[in-house]
Amino acid sequence: MFPYPSGKIHMGHVRNYTLGDVVARYKRARGHSVMHPMGWDAFGLPAENAARERGVHPAKWTYENIANMRAELQRMGLSLEWEREFATCQPEYYRHQQKLFLDFLKAGLVERKESWVNWDPVDGTVLANEQVIDGKGWRSGAPVEKKQLSQWFLSITKYAPQLLDALDTLDRWPERVRLMQANWIGRSEGARLTFRLTGGGDGGLDVYTTRPDTLFGMSFLAIAPEHPLAGAVAARDPKAAAFIADCKSRGTSEATIETGEKLGYDTGLRVSHPFIEGASYPVWIANFVLMEYGTGAIFGCPGHDQRDMDFARKYGLNVTPVVLPPGADPATFTLGDDAYVGPGTIFNSGFLNSLDVDAAKRAAIQRLEEQGVGKGVTNWRLRDWGVSRQRYWGCPIPVIHCASCGVVPVPDDQLPVRLPDDVTFDKPGNPLDHHPTWKHVPCPRCGQAATRETDTFDTFVDSSWYFARYCSPTADVPLVKEAVDHWMPVDQYIGGIEHAILHLLYSRFFTRAMKDTGHIAVEEPFAGLFTQGMVNHESYRGADGRWLYPEEIEKRSDGTAVHRETNEPVTVGRVEAMSKSKRNTIDPGAIIARFGADTARWFILSDNPPDRDMEWTESGVAGAYRFTQRIFRLAEALDTVPQEAKPAAFGTAGRALRRATHRCIAAVTEALESFAFNVAVARLYELANAITEAERAAPEPGLVWARREAVEMMARLAAPMMPHLAEDVYARLGAGDGTLAAELPWPEAEPDLLAAESVTIAVQVMGKLRGTVEVPPDAAADLVLAAAEAEPNVAKALEGKRIVKRVHVPNRIVNFVIAG
RNA sequence: GCCCGCCUGGCGGAAUGGUAGACGCAGCGGACUUAAAAUCCGCAGCCGGUAACGGCGUGGGGGUUCAAGUCCCCCGGUGGGCACCA
């Protein structure tokens, strides 16, 4: 995933792009044509904050950050294709985004609609749900209001079924991410039905339910405070209006929701029941009913829904059980304050009686359809994607509002709609709105004075198609179909788990939308996904409670720490995510300057499996650095010994080293294929140990040749992970005649050398290890069993016992089952 | 509340159902050095034993199997996702 240009790279970037670079270099060596691009997710709020706080223009701030971070990434030795680089804030990029949006608009995939949003009255902008913390704006600290605004929406819900179903085809995605997306999309089966208002009420109230089997247990109907009917009631009932205002001021993430306090207001209206002739029920406005889900109205069945139960008990509404748990007696079954949500048999329910829950759902839906008051429907939790932001530093939404023509798309030949440079940030709100001239344009249709849309796109739009743009980064159309067909989908996408839903789901939607508007042929953007863990570090606190940077402290051998300058004791805190506030960050630039990029890459790969959180430790880095020095010494040691031709036969030490070398080739290859980089590292340590052993062995013909082979393979196998050192060692060996290790095909192990000269067989008696025997590979079972039985310690265990079964797994194990 | 991971030495972790703890970090002992650093060699799960060896051991309990860290069931702990979603 491409980075946001915040200023400096952090360890998360180092981990992310090291992983990707290992894959790119390895795949290249395997003969694949690899595209490994880099770009910048360059629009966003921090640039505007910098403008407000420091008076620097967002563009200047952003481009300076990009230049700095590009240099840092280049120092890491990433094999990136910089020819394809772009930043999403460049008009050359965002003009194509505007074109895609207009095509989506034409195709009916864009809607402008009123919606309830989080509104920060101080900053004067809409906030995303993530930007609302405890009901307050994350920057201003002002209580967030719910406000109805006209916003642009991308119709992601139209793709809900496909986005859900296609998850099954993403077999190289982590199961956990697919589950999270499935939950987010949230398919549910139920019924939609209309309750008629009694007493001259016009029309009815639509309700969605997953429990039509419990309709006979109804005791009230509840609508969301934002429901149109609630508004109508409030217009003539001041108390209702006050109640609604109170609900709105509480916000969505207020404590009342967490504690589950249910609040309601009886409107005085009543609805009739679709199945029970003559019955009627009160209509309440309730704070726990969400306008955004279903129809914004529910029927309350307290017996079998806990929220309805809480509400009914609080306001003294009827509770009628209609599902009888297995084994319960219908004559005596009652409910306390806990709703019964388990399986059972329907009772108290007219024509549904004696059916089980599932059968009753089907029967109820069938009856609703026959009566023409409802039907079975599938409902989705996923909502359309609101992309309007009242922000300057984003891609302008390319439409014009005209008093007579309405919303008019900006004609293609007038794209891009460029952001003006001359803006000021002295007032809160959107600078585009305050700009004296920018928004005033003639209507492209009628020519009369009109105004531009001043909202810009959510930055998630920018990142929803950049990967496809890499295929033809300079084309004058958004996407060149042939290029996209050739490269896409992305074979290996790597990023943090925090993107599991938003970015990855938006991109999946966008890719489908681009297909349906004829831009590309693929429908899934990422065939393989890998989610890396975070990079954590210990945190430190001085005696005065202030957080201390790692370089300010000194670790003692007993695990305690003191302040480097004052010698005062330091509290060693938890290992947690690196953050500026805890001061437990490590600057990759400093690490690279001190130890080199290879050490940083090697340590980050060696510490643990890459999908888990890792701990950055000073001793771990030192260990990685030591190993780079050791490899160099192993190569250097060959400078002073004469070269040898490959002999026809090797001695004992030479054979042992060659087997170690070729087993290492096979093992590292397998480890890299399965993203087990920490295991690949361990195998290379083993090879280094084997080379050291060979250095110490008595000289024999061919041993130097075997050492050269081992060191060369060491360099080539380590090359994807430590590219600089690998080239240095490879050049020093003089093997390549000026070619780079990176240009060589991936080494192949010689099959003969993978087989051991003898194998150690574990010998068990009743599943307990009693000894081992050395036998030739693939030795006959009777020979192995005889040797096993003769092994002294095994013989002792077998003494006086009768062997009832002899298990022999070739080249692995023998197990004697005994009796008596 | 619902859904999903994870649990192995002091630490990170390894282990196609087949010798649990590879490899590294930290630690201990030794060599080299006047000394230190660096480097090299060696030890190292726990308990008992000089040792040979024996017993125990992958969160706890049960099961399948000749054989379980690995497969199945129950429980516990822990981390994460979603959450008045009707």
Side-chain angles (χ1 to χ4, degrees):
Chain A
M1 294 174 192
F2 68 163
Y4 177 78
S6 53
K8 300 180 94 171
I9 63 169
H10 54 65
M11 280 300 170
H13 293 129
V14 174
R15 197 177 197 192
N16 193 159
Y17 301 131
T18 297
L19 294 172
D21 197 45
V22 172
V23 174
R25 287 173 180 272
Y26 171 70
K27 290 293 179 186
R28 233 178 254 128
R30 293 307 294 252
H32 296 279
S33 164
V34 173
M35 190 216 287
H36 188 207
M38 183 56 71
W40 308 97
D41 189 12
F43 275 135
L45 217 43
E48 268 183 78
N49 293 341
R52 285 178 204 278
E53 285 156 19
R54 279 174 271 161
V56 52
H57 193 279
K60 181 170 153 50
W61 185 84
T62 301
Y63 284 114
E64 281 174 5
N65 287 346
I66 287 174
N68 188 52
M69 289 175 72
R70 184 194 298 116
E72 291 189 307
L73 291 181
Q74 287 171 342
R75 275 196 286 280
M76 280 179 62
L78 304 172
S79 61
L80 292 164
E81 210 177 323
W82 288 103
E83 295 75 24
R84 295 181 188 269
E85 177 192 10
F86 56 77
T88 56
C89 61
Q90 295 166 328
E92 296 76 26
Y93 178 80
Y94 68 68
R95 66 173 291 192
H96 300 298
Q97 186 164 306
Q98 292 172 341
K99 166 72 175 153
L100 288 173
F101 173 81
L102 293 174
D103 286 351
F104 291 0
L105 183 65
K106 225 176 285 174
L109 298 175
V110 177
E111 253 186 282
R112 186 168 175 80
K113 56 187 177 189
E114 293 264 306
S115 78
W116 291 97
V117 294
N118 306 304
W119 179 259
D120 185 324
V122 172
D123 275 0
T125 184
V126 167
L127 296 178
N129 286 334
E130 306 81 56
Q131 294 164 339
V132 181
I133 296 155
D134 291 334
K136 300 190 172 92
W138 68 299
R139 256 179 55 79
S140 68
V144 166
E145 296 170 0
K146 284 186 150 193
K147 188 167 169 177
Q148 205 163 24
L149 273 187
S150 235
Q151 303 267 290
W152 289 102
F153 284 83
L154 297 186
S155 305
I156 190 170
T157 53
K158 287 195 172 134
Y159 291 84
Q162 316 179 27
L163 289 170
L164 182 67
D165 293 346
L167 286 173
D168 292 338
T169 69
L170 300 175
D171 55 346
R172 289 199 298 120
W173 278 43
E175 178 63 23
R176 161 168 90 123
V177 174
R178 289 190 285 166
L179 263 162
M180 282 162 70
Q181 291 212 354
N183 289 341
W184 188 265
I185 295 168
R187 179 189 154 100
S188 86
E189 297 276 4
R192 196 177 171 129
L193 64 151
T194 307
F195 286 89
R196 201 161 312 143
L197 286 160
T198 60
D202 42 349
L205 268 169
D206 282 349
V207 157
Y208 172 74
T209 179
T210 57
R211 295 299 302 271
D213 55 311
T214 63
L215 268 166
F216 283 91
M218 175 172 184
S219 75
F220 62 95
L221 193 147
I223 60 177
E226 299 86 2
H227 196 280
L229 183 65
V233 171
R236 57 172 191 266
D237 179 352
K239 278 198 232 157
F243 176 78
I244 292 167
D246 183 45
C247 288
K248 280 183 192 167
S249 72
R250 286 168 190 265
T252 42
S253 41
E254 258 284 13
T256 47
I257 285 172
E258 272 146 44
T259 59
E261 194 195 344
K262 308 279 182 291
L263 299 172
Y265 179 83
D266 189 349
T267 62
L269 298 170
R270 296 189 76 84
V271 290
S272 55
H273 195 282
F275 298 150
I276 308 172
E277 201 69 40
S280 79
Y281 303 87
V283 176
W284 286 66
I285 301 168
N287 67 337
F288 68 95
V289 180
L290 304 176
M291 192 60 219
E292 300 88 355
Y293 187 78
T295 62
I298 61 156
F299 87 84
C301 174
H304 307 287
D305 182 288
Q306 192 57 50
R307 293 154 304 176
D308 297 349
M309 176 65 95
D310 296 345
F311 193 75
R313 290 297 184 218
K314 175 159 181 177
Y315 292 105
L317 299 161
N318 287 336
V319 177
T320 309
V322 290
V323 181
L324 190 64
D329 178 1
T332 58
F333 181 69
T334 54
L335 290 161
D337 286 340
D338 292 327
Y340 177 72
V341 295
T345 311
I346 305 297
F347 71 131
N348 294 336
S349 293
F351 70 96
L352 296 176
N353 280 341
S354 81
L355 295 173
D356 67 30
V357 166
D358 285 336
K361 284 179 181 173
R362 288 192 295 271
I365 288 169
Q366 192 187 345
R367 181 67 65 95
L368 289 171
E369 288 174 352
E370 284 165 9
Q371 292 176 206
V373 294
K375 59 180 177 174
V377 295
T378 304
N379 205 30
W380 305 85
R381 187 186 165 283
L382 185 69
R383 317 218 185 112
D384 276 338
W385 174 17
V387 294
S388 301
R389 296 288 180 272
Q390 292 70 41
R391 288 288 170 190
Y392 163 71
W393 193 235
C395 170
I397 298 174
V399 297
I400 290 164
H401 299 278
C402 170
S404 40
C405 306
V407 171
V408 182
V410 173
D412 281 359
D413 60 8
Q414 290 175 28
L415 294 182
V417 176
R418 282 175 183 269
L419 275 182
D421 285 332
D422 52 337
V423 286
T424 56
F425 293 90
D426 46 1
K427 282 184 270 189
N430 183 354
L432 292 177
D433 241 357
H434 313 144
H435 193 280
T437 57
W438 181 78
K439 70 176 175 185
H440 302 289
V441 287
C443 170
R445 204 165 284 164
C446 69
Q448 300 202 353
T451 56
R452 288 193 189 284
E453 171 70 62
T454 57
D455 287 353
T456 54
F457 283 123
D458 180 3
T459 56
F460 276 106
V461 177
D462 312 337
S463 56
S464 289
W465 69 287
Y466 78 102
F467 42 85
R469 179 69 184 169
Y470 281 137
C471 301
S472 48
T474 57
D476 58 7
V477 292
L479 301 151
V480 176
K481 211 171 189 172
E482 298 71 39
V484 175
D485 282 351
H486 178 253
W487 290 107
M488 292 279 292
V490 177
D491 293 292
Q492 190 60 62
Y493 201 49
I494 303 175
I497 187 73
E498 68 273 16
H499 297 107
I501 292 168
L502 292 177
H503 165 59
L504 291 169
L505 191 61
Y506 292 151
S507 297
R508 293 184 62 219
F509 154 69
F510 227 83
T511 302
R512 286 184 146 74
M514 291 189 292
K515 182 186 177 216
D516 289 351
T517 48
H519 287 279
I520 58 177
V522 296
E523 56 185 21
E524 281 292 339
F526 313 121
L529 172 69
F530 189 87
T531 51
Q532 73 190 74
M534 288 190 304
V535 184
N536 297 337
H537 196 279
E538 272 181 342
S539 52
Y540 309 103
R541 263 189 151 150
D544 56 359
R546 284 190 314 123
W547 298 102
L548 297 170
Y549 291 106
E551 51 272 21
E552 291 180 284
I553 65 113
E554 195 166 304
K555 279 298 240 337
R556 292 280 165 83
S557 55
D558 60 0
T560 62
V562 294
H563 195 283
R564 206 175 271 280
E565 278 159 21
T566 64
N567 252 3
E568 281 177 2
V570 166
T571 309
V572 178
R574 294 196 309 139
V575 173
E576 54 191 316
M578 289 188 183
S579 76
K580 281 180 192 157
S581 61
K582 301 277 173 69
R583 300 199 163 177
N584 61 339
T585 52
I586 298 292
D587 172 28
I591 294 293
I592 292 169
R594 180 157 168 219
F595 298 104
D598 284 353
T599 295
R601 295 169 61 123
W602 188 254
F603 173 56
I604 225 162
L605 291 166
S606 67
D607 189 59
N608 68 348
D611 55 338
R612 299 192 202 168
D613 288 354
M614 68 172 286
E615 183 188 355
W616 185 276
T617 60
E618 279 55 40
S619 57
V621 185
Y625 180 68
R626 275 202 300 276
F627 188 64
T628 62
Q629 304 304 301
R630 188 172 164 210
I631 292 180
F632 185 80
R633 281 197 306 275
L634 292 174
E636 199 180 38
L638 290 166
D639 290 353
T640 53
V641 293
Q643 292 207 23
E644 278 186 309
K646 183 179 182 181
F650 289 86
T652 317
R655 286 204 309 276
L657 179 56
R658 296 206 68 214
R659 276 199 307 278
T661 301
H662 286 263
R663 274 206 305 270
C664 184
I665 294 172
V668 168
T669 304
E670 194 190 323
L672 293 185
E673 287 284 352
S674 56
F675 268 65
F677 302 117
N678 57 323
V679 179
V681 165
R683 298 295 166 247
L684 286 164
Y685 271 104
E686 283 174 349
L687 180 57
N689 292 343
I691 298 171
T692 301
E693 204 173 315
E695 281 180 346
R696 292 206 314 272
E700 61 181 41
L703 185 52
V704 168
W705 189 93
R707 277 170 59 191
R708 294 188 73 85
E709 179 190 42
V711 172
E712 181 188 329
M713 288 307 163
M714 173 109 192
R716 290 171 60 184
L717 295 173
M721 300 178 268
M722 291 198 281
H724 307 89
L725 180 62
E727 295 300 346
D728 200 79
V729 168
Y730 187 68
R732 173 170 285 266
L733 292 173
D737 253 353
T739 53
L740 295 175
E743 296 169 321
L744 300 174
W746 191 248
E748 298 276 352
E750 291 178 21
D752 295 355
L753 291 168
L754 293 178
E757 290 185 354
S758 74
V759 292
T760 308
I761 304 285
V763 184
Q764 297 179 338
V765 177
M766 294 298 281
K768 277 189 192 300
L769 184 71
R770 293 301 170 191
T772 60
V773 291
E774 285 288 316
V775 297
D778 303 316
D782 50 352
L783 286 174
V784 177
L785 288 168
E789 241 170 290
E791 205 278 335
N793 208 43
V794 175
K796 204 173 92 189
L798 291 173
E799 206 177 312
K801 314 285 190 190
R802 187 167 54 89
I803 299 175
V804 294
K805 188 170 180 181
R806 294 174 170 81
V807 179
H808 171 238
V809 181
N811 299 327
R812 288 201 180 271
I813 207 163
V814 165
N815 189 15
F816 295 110
V817 184
I818 55 174

